[in-house]
Amino acid sequence: MKNSLRYIAAAVLAATSFAASAAVTITEVAPWSSGNSPVGADWFELTNTGSSAVNITGWKVDDNSNSFASAVALNGIASIAAGQSVIFVEGNAATADAFKSNWFGAKAPANLTIGTYSGAGVGLSSGGDAVNIYNAAGALQANVTFGASESASPFHTFDNAVGLNNSAVSKLSAVGINGAFAAANNPVEIGSPGSVAAVPEPESYAMLLAGLGIIAAVARKRQR
């Protein structure tokens, strides 16, 4: 029993340490949005799965050329809070406003955060592409690839709420799963921009740590 408790504690600690040390992941991608949405621009979502804010000043994005030299700046957002999901749409402030109106109408969440990016060669292809996120020093922070998007409505975003990294994403968003819903002004668009229900809140890490304490206490008691 004592060994079993030690193994359980070690496993939970390893999982917790990974989660707490994780930084930014690409949790959603809509490569069809430039051609099949009134917004007329592709977008993706970044989520901070760590326990403290991440400064993203100077960070850049590239597609499947996989090159920091070809990457373009992420604008409008300086940091991502612990547990927060933010959106980056290709375009400018007007594009971001159009995105907000399309998805939320007049009921956008107060904490909705939208940044932008633009430049040659970074359009996300609906035939399959990639998203690469680099920090200001050019180090790769997150990467996903994806295949062809749907060619007819409804259009579902690629859902990476589980936080796969350096992996191909094929799961599609579904209404009611991981916070996904139909866009307010164009309900054939399905996604969960700004919300990732599957990623634990920072408080969850504290609960896991508390659980570890209970396990350790039980183990000590049994050893007496």
Side-chain angles (χ1 to χ4, degrees), residues 133-168:
I133 302 297
Y134 300 92
N135 67 15
L140 184 66
Q141 301 298 298
N143 160 270
V144 295
T145 61
F146 48 87
S149 301
E150 296 158 307
S151 58
S153 63
F155 299 100
H156 303 80
T157 64
F158 286 104
D159 173 10
N160 186 33
V162 295
L164 297 176
N165 202 10
N166 299 316
S167 300

Side-chain angles (χ1 to χ4, degrees), residues 52-140:
S52 61
V54 174
N55 186 335
I56 64 167
T57 302
W59 284 31
K60 295 185 175 184
V61 60
D62 185 39
D63 58 9
N64 64 357
S65 57
N66 306 319
S67 168
F68 179 66
S70 301
V72 299
L74 296 177
N75 301 310
I77 300 175
S79 68
I80 307 176
Q84 183 184 20
S85 296
V86 301
I87 302 149
F88 282 96
V89 60
E90 185 177 9
N92 53 30
T95 315
D97 288 341
F99 176 94
K100 183 186 296 186
S101 175
N102 180 64
W103 278 94
F104 300 96
K107 298 180 179 180
N111 62 346
L112 185 69
T113 305
I114 306 175
T116 63
Y117 65 99
S118 63
V122 293
L124 301 181
S125 172
S126 60
D129 210 333
V131 178
N132 291 283
I133 302 297
Y134 300 92
N135 67 15
L140 184 66

Side-chain angles (χ1 to χ4, degrees), residues 41-52:
D42 297 327
W43 59 273
F44 61 88
E45 176 186 77
L46 299 181
T47 298
N48 177 6
T49 60
S51 55
S52 61

